[in-house]
Structure formats: C-alpha cells, structure tokens
Amino acid sequence: MSSSGCAVLGIPYDPALDIWSVGCTLYELYTGKILLPGRSNNQMLLLMMELKGRFNQKMIKKAKFGDSYFDEMGGFDSIERDKVTGAVSGLPWTPDIHMKPRWLTKLF
C-alpha cells in the first residue's frame, strides 16, 4: 500500500490520512498496480507531489522530518545520499519538470 506523505514527514495521524490510505488501497485493488512505486521516502514524496502538487508550507513546518526533505523556502530536495557508501543520487525537484507525471498518464 502507498505510504502517506504525513507518515513519511512525521505529521500526526488524523482522518485525512485514513482517507488517503483508503483511496490508495482502492486504487491498488482495482488496478492491481502500486500507485506510488517509489523505492525510498524521497521518491515517494516526489511521486506524491507529481500527483497532487507541492506540500503546503504549514504542513512542512508541522512535520517532524520536514527539514529532512525540504529547504527553508519549501523547496523539495530529492537528492539522496547512501548511508553506507555516501553515493549521491537524484536531482533537485522543480515544478516545471515534475508536475506532469509520465507514469500517471499511462494509467488513465
């Protein structure tokens, strides 16, 4: 099942999280496909933003791990560093490039 942005960012659970989870579950049961096939939290957040747009500043500031994924201006940092090797992967997220998810257009 697709993880919620709230869970990844460390925002307390509320009814909106339950609605997101039900929607993801129904989609995945109906299509047989994973809605957000990310391999890491960064990739999951990137896919969520491609699908629904940016997270709002209020949510990022409330998040326990918001500063791990977003800069002080709310820009998403999708660059990941491997904890073992120190290798860097990913590119900075920009709305111009990522707002039209190619993977989603194949589904509908």
Side-chain angles (χ1 to χ4, degrees):
M1 175 163 59
S2 295
S3 179
S4 161
C6 294
V8 172
L9 292 172
I11 296 173
Y13 288 94
D14 67 0
L17 176 60
D18 293 333
I19 299 298
W20 172 267
S21 295
V22 167
C24 290
T25 301
L26 290 174
Y27 171 85
E28 292 173 359
L29 287 171
Y30 182 75
T31 65
K33 298 177 183 178
I34 298 173
L35 179 60
L36 303 169
R39 294 177 309 200
S40 68
N41 286 345
N42 265 13
Q43 288 180 349
M44 295 290 284
L45 290 171
L46 179 62
L47 293 170
M48 286 179 214
M49 289 189 296
E50 287 179 349
L51 181 63
K52 295 296 295 168
R54 290 179 168 227
F55 290 95
N56 66 47
Q57 280 293 103
K58 185 177 178 181
M59 179 183 262
I60 294 169
K61 288 187 187 301
K62 248 180 25 177
K64 183 176 183 180
F65 308 115
D67 58 350
S68 299
Y69 300 102
F70 296 90
D71 63 23
E72 54 279 344
M73 300 296 292
F76 180 63
D77 182 13
S78 65
I79 296 174
E80 299 179 71
R81 185 173 302 278
D82 187 283
K83 292 178 182 173
V84 176
T85 65
V88 175
S89 65
L91 296 171
W93 184 81
T94 57
D96 303 349
I97 297 170
H98 292 96
M99 289 309 286
K100 294 181 182 172
R102 283 172 269 155
W103 63 270
L104 188 61
T105 57
K106 295 177 187 174
L107 301 176
F108 297 105

